[in-house]
């Protein structure tokens, strides 16, 4: 492992997406930023996918998923993800506004958490093809087949 990693590392899964600027390049930079986090090692990065906005506006999104081994706590990891978003120019003028980068912590091991800042597992992950398809690519065991079937009507395209 890297950078002060210890045996107490947890596997976390993160959804990545953006629909402003060169979103594909931004998501690729975010993979590198995840790999550079302290006490963290990038385990897997999915392909890039294109999807129409869901509960949001603006151009199509570029989406992906990543898994990391991390010694950070869930809230420390959330803070680190939000710092990466900010470094990529993320602004939050209104809920579900178009964005340069959105990083959502989906799963942190098997931990369940419900706080004002963070809910684990992510409460809407099983409702969104743009989360499930990239996640199924890197961690098929974490995506129930019935969840994929439930989002089969949502348009999503894996990019070459």
């Amino acid at each position: 492992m890297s950078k002060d990693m210890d045996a107490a590392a947890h596997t976390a899964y993160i959804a990545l997406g953006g629909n402003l600027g060169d979103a594909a390049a931004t998501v690729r930079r975010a993979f590198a930023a995840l790999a550079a986090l302290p006490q963290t090692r990038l385990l897997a990065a999915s392909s890039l996918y294109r999807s129409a906005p869901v509960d949001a506006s603006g151009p199509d999104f570029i989406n992906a998923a990543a898994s990391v081994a991390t010694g950070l706590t869930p809230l420390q990891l959330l803070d680190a993800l939000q710092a990466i978003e900010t470094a990529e120019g993320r602004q939050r003028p209104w809920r579900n506004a178009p964005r340069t980068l959105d990083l959502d912590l989906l799963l942190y091991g098997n931990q369940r958490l419900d706080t004002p800042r963070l809910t684990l597992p992510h409460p809407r992950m099983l409702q969104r093809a743009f989360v499930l398809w990239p996640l199924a690519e890197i961690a098929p065991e974490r995506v129930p087949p019935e969840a994929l079937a439930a989002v089969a009507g949502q348009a999503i395209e894996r990019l070459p």
Side-chain angles (χ1 to χ4, degrees), residues 28-55:
R28 288 185 189 101
R29 282 193 306 273
F31 284 141
L34 291 173
L37 291 176
Q39 301 179 56
T40 301
R41 180 170 54 97
L42 182 65
L43 298 174
S46 76
S47 302
L48 301 184
Y49 292 77
R50 176 180 300 143
S51 65
V54 175
D55 298 330

Side-chain angles (χ1 to χ4, degrees), residues 49-52 63 129-134 151 154-158:
Y49 292 77
R50 176 180 300 143
S51 65
N63 300 102
F130 66 82
V131 171
L132 293 178
W133 283 105
V151 299
Q154 295 177 24
I156 184 165
E157 170 192 7
R158 184 175 173 177

Side-chain angles (χ1 to χ4, degrees), residues 1-11 37-41 43 68-73 76 108:
M1 309 241 170
S2 70
K3 305 176 288 300
D4 308 317
M5 183 70 70
D6 63 27
H10 297 272
T11 301
L37 291 176
Q39 301 179 56
T40 301
R41 180 170 54 97
L43 298 174
V68 297
T70 187
L72 300 175
T73 67
Q76 288 171 329
Y108 183 94

Side-chain angles (χ1 to χ4, degrees), residues 19 52-59 61 94-99 102 128 130:
N19 70 337
V54 175
D55 298 330
S57 61
F61 274 82
W94 65 86
R95 181 174 167 77
N96 296 325
R99 59 208 75 155
D102 188 24
R128 296 175 167 170
F130 66 82

Side-chain angles (χ1 to χ4, degrees), residues 85-101:
E85 290 176 341
T86 299
E88 286 293 342
R90 170 79 188 260
Q91 297 179 0
R92 299 172 190 271
W94 65 86
R95 181 174 167 77
N96 296 325
R99 59 208 75 155
T100 54
L101 182 64

